[in-house]
Amino acid sequence: MSVNGIHWSRDKVLFALADIVMVALAWGIAFWLRFNFELPVEYRSMALDTMPWAVGCMVVGLAVARVQRQAWRYVSLADLRQLAWGVLLGVLATVACVMVLRYPGFARSVFPIFGLLVLAMLSGARATWRSIAEQRHARGGAGGQSSLIIAGTLEEADQALRTLKGSHDWQVVGIVSPREQDVKQSLQNVSVLGTINQLGHLAEAHGVHSVLLASAPGSALRREVLLRWSGSQLNLLTMPTADHWLNTPATDLRQVDLEDLLGRTPVVLDAGDLAEWLSGQTVMITGAGGSIGSELCRQVARFGVSRLVCVDVSEAAIYTLEQELRIAHPEMLGNYYTANVREYERLLAIAQKHHPVVIFHAAAYKHVPLMEESNEVEALRTNVLGTLNVARVAGECGAQRFVLVSTDKAVNPTSIMGASKRLAERVVQAMADRYPSTEYVAVRFGNVLGSSGSVVPLFTSQIARGGPVTVTHPDIVRYFMTIPEAAQLVVQAGRLGQSGRLGQSGQIYVLDMGEPVKIVELARLLIRLSGRTETEVPIVFTGLRPGEKLFEEWLANDETTSATSHPQLRVVHQTAVVLSLYELERLQGWVEDLGPAPSPNVLRTGLHGYVQEYRVRGA
């Protein structure tokens, strides 16, 4: 039975009747207490006559506070505050009704006694019922539950314990904290057994094989536990991410993975705003078959675009993407083109057919060593001329927004790839001046975990072969993000890049990437997660490759940043002069005139003329 949107099950009806009975008892007991346990005869009839009014008013007060919606088994402090508010409303209503009825000689001190009794009886009943339910659950599920230790501060452990309430799978036997002062304290009847350094010993002593990392993603504690205990006998677990909550219960713990090594909290999208922006629009994505491009397609599709135009030079990649999106988003119109961003006329024809509102440009050559030797001219043709073509198409077809996927390697570049991407950024800024009706932005981010050509697939294959795992330098560090984060960042920056918010086209955005990760730590973690040791799979240092840096940078010497409306995105301010139309034409002519096999020295010298901060490593 449903009344006013509430489903009244048998248990809910019984609980409501129990509340009514307790309210009636509280009214009678209030009179009894008021007269020192000896209720005069004349007040007995007064108590009985006014009881229906008191009960009715209290029921109305509790109903206004929506107390009837509470689940007794899961009552919390918030529920008790709600209950207190309902009782207060009920007492005030009772006072008003009884005073209107004008009972002679009515003892007004009954009212506060009545309110306190109702609050005590109703909250006590709920707390008792929850305790009974939890004890029954503990007895019933103990046989199939696995023991678990929570690793985190008291605040983090408290939240984890609340989430695990009612879990049929886990029984928490203790907490380990990073703070010495927390040891021997108790939280929700669970003791703090010791510190993080004692985790292995404590787990062995209590026969526990699973540890829940309650600290936030990217925290120092999580990274410490992950690097120290991965690959040991301990099963390291974490809560499901927000993206999985729709399909996964919060108590369904997941295994830790590489994402938990990131030195910051994951990217959080302004989903409502993005849906409002993209819903019903036509969006075009170049490089749609690549790691970032395909994830961009997935992210954009879930915001309800009416048409998605996917462009990639790889037939196999675009076919695979088509099969995936047709199944995942059958209501969306999809157009899948095999086309090269170097071919302006082909891109223009595609854009003029569909008139995209937004164009995301992800097509690029990105592998640093591969572009450094024998393929330098290919990097310039695709990363520079390809960007020029797509940016020009965006302006010619009247797109509202153009977003370039850039990289941290474009900052003070020491590689052909980095210099070509820096030049691509400058091309986009020049296009912003040429086509003022189109908003142009670029987005820089670091290395992407699991993308094609990244270290993770390389290390994984090396571990599978038994090693060695090759790391270029023991001190080399990189900023990392996941593939979904990279795509989300691009989409979010595209939304920010509009004159209504920040007032300038041609802006460059960077992500607050937190702490960098040592590549050798990443290699060790992957070895341990594979269930092997560094003795079985050794790590070998091979030396820096051509064009490679020890440390990546986010800003050039002439650049500063300021905050945006998104907490993890910052906008770059720079003093570099924007390329003129003449310089753009000269740049295009220079790249085209290099020919199929230019001299590496000639190419590098010419590139330095356009990107003055470009330096060859060791020069």
Side-chain angles (χ1 to χ4, degrees):
M1 178 177 65
S2 295
V3 179
N4 294 330
I6 304 173
H7 179 69
W8 288 89
S9 63
R10 182 176 64 87
D11 288 346
K12 192 173 285 291
V13 171
L14 291 176
F15 291 147
L17 291 176
D19 281 344
I20 293 174
V21 171
M22 284 186 285
V23 170
L25 284 174
W27 184 252
I29 294 172
F31 274 87
W32 187 52
L33 292 174
R34 166 63 181 78
F35 293 99
N36 298 320
F37 311 109
E38 293 182 5
L39 187 61
V41 174
E42 63 271 22
Y43 281 101
R44 292 178 187 175
S45 59
M46 186 183 296
L48 291 174
D49 290 344
T50 55
M51 182 177 289
W53 292 100
V55 172
C57 289
M58 186 59 68
V59 169
V60 170
L62 296 175
V64 170
R66 299 186 176 185
V67 172
Q68 73 277 12
R69 295 176 179 267
Q70 294 178 351
W72 283 30
R73 179 174 179 175
Y74 303 104
V75 68
S76 64
L77 287 176
D79 293 323
L80 295 182
R81 286 193 292 269
Q82 183 185 27
L83 178 64
W85 174 242
V87 170
L88 177 62
L89 292 176
V91 170
L92 294 176
T94 303
V95 171
C97 287
V98 173
M99 291 296 99
V100 167
L101 294 174
R102 295 181 180 276
Y103 280 90
F106 190 91
R108 298 183 180 182
S109 56
V110 167
F111 296 128
I113 298 174
F114 170 58
L116 291 174
L117 286 173
V118 171
L119 181 60
M121 293 172 73
L122 267 59
S123 59
R126 284 158 170 76
T128 301
W129 187 263
R130 173 168 179 167
S131 298
I132 293 172
E134 288 180 354
Q135 290 175 5
R136 184 185 305 160
H137 169 73
R139 289 195 299 269
Q145 289 181 316
S146 299
S147 298
L148 182 72
I149 286 179
I150 296 178
T153 63
L154 289 183
E155 295 82 0
E156 295 163 343
D158 179 65
Q159 184 59 47
L161 286 169
R162 294 179 187 277
T163 303
L164 291 173
K165 284 287 187 184
S167 171
H168 294 273
D169 301 318
W170 303 103
Q171 181 180 14
V172 180
V173 301
I175 301 167
V176 292
S177 171
R179 301 189 294 224
E180 288 278 357
Q181 60 267 33
D182 293 342
V183 178
K184 295 186 179 180
Q185 295 191 49
S186 179
L187 186 68
Q188 300 183 38
N189 292 325
V190 179
S191 299
V192 180
L193 303 176
T195 61
I196 293 294
N197 292 334
Q198 301 169 301
L199 177 57
H201 172 71
L202 292 171
E204 183 179 359
H206 289 81
V208 175
H209 299 289
S210 297
V211 177
L212 172 62
L213 305 184
S215 56
S219 66
L221 173 61
R222 178 171 290 217
R223 293 180 67 184
E224 177 187 350
V225 174
L226 196 61
L227 291 169
R228 184 170 179 179
W229 301 105
S230 293
S232 67
Q233 298 300 314
L234 294 179
N235 182 28
L236 301 182
L237 303 170
T238 187
M239 295 291 185
T241 60
D243 286 344
H244 298 120
W245 284 348
L246 292 177
N247 303 312
T248 304
T251 56
D252 189 5
L253 307 183
R254 66 172 177 85
Q255 297 283 335
V256 295
D257 51 32
L258 288 175
E259 299 176 20
D260 297 288
L261 190 63
L262 297 177
R264 54 174 173 74
T265 56
V267 171
V268 178
L269 286 176
D270 186 354
D273 189 49
L274 291 175
E276 180 183 352
W277 173 43
L278 293 174
S279 179
Q281 303 291 354
T282 297
V283 176
M284 178 174 170
I285 299 176
T286 68
S291 303
I292 304 301
S294 61
E295 185 62 29
L296 264 176
C297 293
R298 298 182 192 100
Q299 296 290 342
V300 167
R302 75 186 181 98
F303 289 117
V305 297
S306 64
R307 183 184 298 274
L308 186 60
V309 182
C310 305
V311 179
D312 198 282
V313 72
S314 168
E315 178 189 33
I318 207 72
Y319 171 77
T320 301
L321 180 67
E322 177 192 25
Q323 298 304 303
E324 176 188 341
L325 294 182
R326 284 190 189 280
I327 296 173
H329 302 279
E331 75 289 347
M332 181 186 70
L333 296 175
N335 297 95
Y336 304 90
Y337 292 95
T338 55
N340 197 321
V341 293
R342 298 179 184 179
E343 300 170 0
Y344 171 75
E345 297 295 337
R346 169 69 167 156
L347 294 175
L348 183 62
I350 294 171
Q352 287 179 335
K353 180 177 181 180
H354 300 292
H355 297 286
V357 173
V358 184
I359 297 179
F360 293 100
H361 178 45
Y365 284 132
K366 62 180 184 179
H367 195 276
V368 171
L370 196 61
M371 294 299 106
E372 197 65 21
E373 297 178 347
S374 306
N375 296 296
E376 301 95 324
V377 71
E378 294 297 304
L380 295 179
R381 288 174 175 173
T382 296
N383 296 356
V384 179
L385 296 190
T387 298
L388 175 60
N389 289 337
V390 182
R392 184 175 293 164
V393 164
E396 291 292 338
C397 74
Q400 294 179 7
R401 201 76 37 78
F402 171 92
V403 185
L404 167 68
V405 176
S406 190
T407 171
D408 55 357
K409 294 174 178 60
V411 179
N412 296 326
T414 59
S415 65
I416 293 290
M417 194 284 283
S420 69
K421 294 298 284 186
R422 177 67 187 108
L423 199 46
E425 291 178 353
R426 298 194 66 192
V427 164
V428 169
Q429 291 171 323
M431 287 292 103
D433 278 356
R434 181 172 179 181
Y435 298 100
S437 61
T438 299
E439 294 283 347
Y440 289 85
V441 299
V443 189
R444 290 177 189 164
F445 52 78
N447 294 266
V448 179
L449 285 173
S451 64
S452 60
S454 68
V455 295
V456 173
L458 173 63
F459 288 170
T460 302
S461 63
Q462 290 176 336
I463 293 169
R465 293 196 302 266
V469 173
T470 56
V471 178
T472 56
H473 194 283
D475 296 325
I476 192 170
V477 296
R478 290 291 183 266
Y479 295 93
F480 281 100
M481 66 193 330
T482 66
I483 294 176
E485 281 185 310
Q488 290 169 13
L489 169 64
V490 173
V491 176
Q492 187 72 69
R495 176 55 169 161
L496 289 177
Q498 52 182 314
S499 55
R501 294 201 180 185
L502 291 173
Q504 182 180 353
S505 182
Q507 290 170 324
I508 299 173
Y509 292 91
V510 295
L511 173 67
D512 179 5
M513 293 288 288
E515 296 297 322
V517 176
K518 273 194 171 185
I519 299 299
V520 68
E521 287 184 357
L522 189 64
R524 287 170 181 155
L525 177 61
L526 281 169
I527 292 171
R528 293 171 189 173
L529 289 177
S530 71
R532 306 171 82 170
T533 66
E534 291 176 47
T535 303
E536 299 172 298
V537 182
I539 296 176
V540 175
F541 297 104
T542 58
L544 291 177
R545 298 171 295 180
E548 194 170 42
K549 297 179 182 179
L550 270 181
F551 307 94
E552 295 294 358
E553 303 165 274
W554 287 107
L555 298 173
N557 297 333
D558 63 340
E559 294 178 338
T560 59
T561 67
S562 61
T564 69
S565 59
H566 192 281
Q568 291 168 292
L569 279 170
R570 300 186 66 82
V571 63
V572 176
H573 304 286
Q574 53 188 345
T575 59
V577 178
V578 175
L579 292 174
S580 65
L581 179 60
Y582 168 74
E583 288 173 316
L584 272 181
E585 293 176 349
R586 188 164 64 89
L587 169 64
Q588 183 177 5
W590 172 69
V591 176
E592 291 173 347
D593 292 341
L594 284 173
S599 164
N601 291 334
V602 171
L603 184 146
R604 283 172 168 78
T605 301
L607 184 57
H608 178 71
Y610 289 98
V611 184
Q612 283 75 26
E613 63 268 37
Y614 166 53
R615 293 290 184 274
V616 180
R617 186 174 62 88

